[in-house]
Amino acid sequence: MQDPSDYIQQHKERFLNELINLLKIPSVSADSAHSQDVINMAEAVAAALSEAGCDEVEVCETSGYPIVYGEKIIGPDLPTVLVYGHYDVQPPDPLELWDTPPFEPVIKETELHPDGAIFARGACDDKGQMYMHVKALEYMVRNNDLPCNVKFMIEGEEEVGSPSLVTFVKENREKLKNDIILISDTGMIAADVPSITTGLRGLSYVEVAVTGPNRDLHSGLYGGAVANPINILAKMIASLHDENNHITIPGFYDKVHELSEEERQAMAEAPFSLEAYKKHLDISAVYGEKGYTTNERNSIRPTLDVNGIWGGYTGEGAKTVIPSKAYAKISMRLVPDQDWHEITELFTRHFTSIAPDGVKVEVTPHHGGQAYVTPIDHIGYRAASEAYETTFGKTPIPQRSGGSIPIVSLFEQELDSKTILMGFGLDSDAIHSPNEHYGIRNYLKGIETIPYFYSAFTRMKESE
Ligand code: BES
Ligand code: MN
Ligand code: MN
């Protein structure tokens, strides 16, 4: 195949401007006030796919937000790559912590992005990374360099647990048939240290409610004599980790796949500076499960974290009150071979069993998903590795990620194909946080690397 870098240089400004226009659409799937924006975003993605060279493009209605499907089939006997991505974004709040408004993209230089980065909600997760695939397709189609068939499935509900995608995939097995699934919705070790994500953690997300007295009470008249749901909830949550930061839920670790010494050794070889990590987060020490390194804690070990906790009086000044109710949202990141339904069960049973007399506890499961791993001897991995080697001049490092894309394990189950995670974001790109950004160099490098994947994969698949 030809080297795409000239084409990319020539069209660089347009590639950036097109992404900037997509970033102006506030497609926040969690907030119904933005539902029209999410729908508009689906239309914009569909238009971009047609423009880039897809022959068939559909905005598929679901019971939630639409799934945008596009394809270019050039030969029934050629391999097929299915690209998945999402066009929805996380809510931008807290707004006051953004240096510039989240849906008014600006380009600024940073220490890690000396060539500039685009600042906007969704810049990295996932509009910027998804759009690299659209532009890579444009390059391949316009330069007669598309070696195989390609299908796109871009959804608008990833950030809320992909509720409609499950049915869509089950009902469209034939349409989605493919030889490999390709996703850019993860990260890489550093701008000059390419890596391929070989694993994602699973997830169980629950909400808990503790109810004490039937109404808020004067904390002087009743304080000390009835259970305060916030005090109780805090105590219950604190008891979920022991002094070594192990999770105390009985059975929680029963199915956890422990890594061999060799695997841990290989992980430890990836470049990582604990000092830089702490400095970047402005913390004096890291914190976590005893017996594991920082990189192990955030990728191959399961976790339990409170994402939000509320109740009682939080307004201005002081109000003396014992609240009737207290709430928390809790996420558990899971690893192979933990089953998220089973973990949700274990949590619910344990959490209700530790409630003291005098309060009622309710656990409501939200979404979840299974963990996922890609073996590094799979041809999809080998093709990706070759692609990075060509564009970065270095062999990429396999890296298990701590994040979750729950739908990936479902793809394997329903479509019987493996997923290759070619992520180009950096952990410091502030996804889900204020001032999310995506490096221009990462964006362009992605567009350049993707066509090499197609070429290597087609060659390897055909000689299999
Ligand atoms: N793109 C992320 C997941 C991700 C980011 C994986 C970086 C690996 C590295 C995705 O959009 C996401 O945010 N997933 C959620 C789960 C989802 C069910 C809301 C997550 O990981 O919290
Ligand atoms: Mn994402
Ligand atoms: Mn996300």
Side-chain angles (χ1 to χ4, degrees), residues 247-368:
I247 295 156
T248 56
I249 299 168
F252 187 84
Y253 291 99
D254 283 1
K255 301 210 170 137
V256 170
H257 173 82
E258 297 282 345
L259 261 60
S260 67
E261 261 324 300
E262 284 96 315
E263 287 171 295
R264 293 181 70 183
Q265 210 93 60
M267 267 191 81
E269 277 165 27
F272 174 71
S273 154
L274 192 59
E275 280 319 303
Y277 185 85
K278 289 191 289 189
K279 185 165 170 258
H280 190 78
L281 299 176
D282 201 7
I283 51 174
S284 58
V286 291
Y287 186 88
E289 191 183 3
K290 196 175 170 192
Y292 294 92
T293 65
T294 293
N295 274 336
E296 289 172 341
R297 288 170 179 167
N298 68 25
S299 65
I300 58 153
R301 297 298 297 166
T303 61
L304 183 151
D305 277 294
V306 178
N307 295 248
I309 182 162
W310 70 103
Y313 183 69
T314 56
E316 197 183 323
K319 178 188 179 191
T320 50
V321 65
I322 292 174
S324 162
K325 280 173 174 290
Y327 305 86
K329 290 186 193 275
I330 297 174
S331 66
M332 289 163 277
R333 296 282 168 171
L334 310 176
V335 299
D337 300 308
Q338 289 177 298
D339 175 77
W340 82 271
H341 295 107
E342 191 181 329
I343 292 293
T344 306
E345 269 290 316
L346 291 176
F347 175 91
T348 307
R349 209 178 309 148
H350 178 67
F351 204 71
T352 42
S353 80
I354 59 174
D357 289 345
V359 298
K360 290 191 273 303
V361 169
E362 251 177 294
V363 177
T364 313
H366 281 273
H367 51 244

Side-chain angles (χ1 to χ4, degrees), residues 122-160:
C124 177
D125 183 12
D126 180 38
K127 288 179 184 173
Q129 296 211 69
M130 173 271 287
Y131 206 62
M132 298 181 315
H133 289 269
V134 182
K135 293 298 97 177
L137 176 73
E138 175 194 306
Y139 161 74
M140 291 186 286
V141 171
R142 298 212 186 149
N143 294 277
N144 267 319
D145 232 346
L146 180 67
C148 61
N149 302 316
V150 51
K151 297 176 177 175
F152 279 81
M153 173 170 63
I154 313 295
E155 72 153 317
E157 298 182 327
E158 195 277 344
E159 298 292 8
V160 291

